Amino acid sequence: MKFDELDKKMRIFETAHDHIVLPDIYMVARIDGRGFTKLTKQNHNFEAPFDERFRDLMVETVRHLTNCGFKVIYGYTESDEISLLFAKNEQTFGRKIRKYNSVLAGEASAKFSLLLNDMATFDCRISQLPTPQNVVDYFRWRNEDAFRNALNAHCYWAMRKQGKSAKEATQKLNGLSVAGKNELLFQYGINFNDIPNWQKRGIGVYWETYEKEGVNPQSGETVLTQRKKIKIDYDLPMKDAYSEFIQNILDEHEEEDA
Ligand SMILES: Nc1nc2c(ncn2[C@@H]2O[C@H](COP(=O)(O)OP(=O)(O)O)[C@@H](O)[C@H]2O)c(=O)[nH]1
Ligand SMILES: [Mg+2]
């Protein structure tokens, strides 16, 4: 068989089931560390429940992902996961899902591994969200997940550090309400209100406009120009205020595109 014929014949097997995200549907990627329970606690000695060194590796990985060839309009990280919201008119790779899944998992794994100086891998999945409200709900969901995670993790590790076994700590937590968990922490001398917001709400990464003074080379006049830089937000809002915050990012982006 001639190469051209073989090429045509075999290409079908690779591409016949290629799924493309329809126009006007929002895409959100969630990139999650693979086996990070072991990585954070056995292979590396990160402080539990939260370690600023681990947080900084995640943040730098998000920063890289917002700058690796896609139109990311909002990045978010909590625990070992990263969510990326793409511009509605994102066109990279013709919106082929397999490309986003593989390239983003690859970019995240490579960046994080270089920063950690050890091998670490991430998986990736894409949510296809038809309405702005779905996008708001998606990020609200992860924001509330961060809160529950932080409460559980602080309770769990408070007990473990005082000598309770993994089984005992898990059992104790299972039967407790949110108020009960707050009370438990209080007994261990921790006021959950005083825990830093980045642990309870996650961290946002987004573009911020600022004005920079420059000199017009022709007239010599001082002029103000608008520039964009990445902001790392360790103090995100929560609940309805966070939903509004995400809605604003969508609105601002629509205006820029219009
Ligand atoms: N020690 C430590 N562990 C963390 C930190 N952030 C996230 N993790 C761990 O990362 C894991 C993330 O959960 P999950 O994705 O469900 O677990 P995986 O399937 O093992 O990756 C949990 O075990 C968290 O405790 C941190 O700052 N310090
Ligand atoms: Mg994980």
Side-chain angles (χ1 to χ4, degrees), residues 31-37 79-81 121-123:
I31 297 142
D32 187 284
R34 179 170 186 223
F36 270 36
T37 303
S79 187
D80 70 335
E81 67 170 62
T121 51
F122 288 81
D123 70 14

Side-chain angles (χ1 to χ4, degrees), residues 4-227:
D4 286 354
E5 270 173 54
L6 189 60
D7 191 53
K8 203 171 151 203
K9 184 181 141 195
M10 296 317 296
R11 200 63 78 184
I12 298 281
F13 290 92
E14 272 190 348
T15 55
H17 292 299
D18 253 353
H19 190 106
I20 284 167
V21 180
L22 293 174
D24 295 334
I25 303 280
Y26 292 95
M27 278 186 265
V28 173
R30 187 158 77 257
I31 297 142
D32 187 284
R34 179 170 186 223
F36 270 36
T37 303
K38 186 160 174 262
L39 179 123
T40 50
K41 290 167 199 78
Q42 288 177 30
N43 307 0
H44 293 267
N45 224 348
F46 285 111
E47 201 182 310
F50 290 93
D51 189 316
E52 289 187 7
R53 289 170 305 151
F54 181 79
R55 175 198 69 184
D56 293 345
L57 300 183
M58 292 300 294
V59 166
E60 284 314 302
T61 304
V62 184
R63 194 200 291 274
H64 171 70
L65 293 174
T66 57
N67 244 325
C68 70
F70 301 91
K71 283 196 203 163
V72 175
I73 61 173
Y74 181 59
Y76 173 80
T77 179
E78 57 128 335
S79 187
D80 70 335
E81 67 170 62
I82 295 165
S83 293
L84 304 173
L85 169 63
F86 298 94
K88 201 172 170 186
N89 65 0
E90 170 72 71
Q91 291 300 335
T92 318
F93 301 124
R95 296 170 74 84
K96 280 194 196 99
I97 290 194
R98 75 175 158 88
K99 280 291 198 176
Y100 290 84
N101 282 334
S102 55
V103 171
L104 290 165
E107 292 281 348
S109 304
K111 183 68 190 180
F112 193 94
S113 296
L114 281 174
L115 292 167
L116 181 68
N117 215 5
D118 190 7
M119 201 172 98
T121 51
F122 288 81
D123 70 14
C124 178
R125 69 204 65 183
I126 301 286
S127 287
Q128 301 174 53
L129 305 165
T131 67
Q133 187 59 48
N134 291 147
V135 175
V136 169
D137 289 345
Y138 173 91
F139 283 98
R140 178 78 176 255
W141 173 43
R142 299 330 292 159
N143 187 240
E144 304 219 350
D145 184 77
F147 188 89
R148 292 165 66 122
N149 250 342
L151 184 58
N152 285 332
H154 273 286
C155 287
Y156 178 85
W157 287 103
M159 290 189 276
R160 290 298 308 277
K161 284 172 186 171
Q162 296 289 324
K164 282 221 182 338
S165 69
K167 200 175 159 199
E168 282 172 324
T170 307
Q171 269 174 356
K172 173 91 184 160
L173 262 179
N174 274 343
L176 284 181
S177 63
V178 169
K181 287 173 189 171
N182 272 281
E183 185 53 40
L184 182 143
L185 275 185
F186 214 72
Q187 283 164 14
Y188 283 92
I190 301 168
N191 185 342
F192 196 59
N193 287 327
D194 298 338
I195 299 290
N197 281 341
W198 68 266
Q199 298 185 8
K200 295 186 283 197
R201 304 179 185 185
I203 299 159
V205 178
Y206 47 90
W207 297 96
E208 199 178 47
T209 312
Y210 69 104
E211 292 198 321
K212 192 174 189 301
E213 254 189 26
V215 179
N216 181 323
Q218 268 139 30
S219 65
E221 268 177 90
T222 307
V223 286
L224 281 178
T225 52
Q226 294 215 323
R227 296 277 178 86

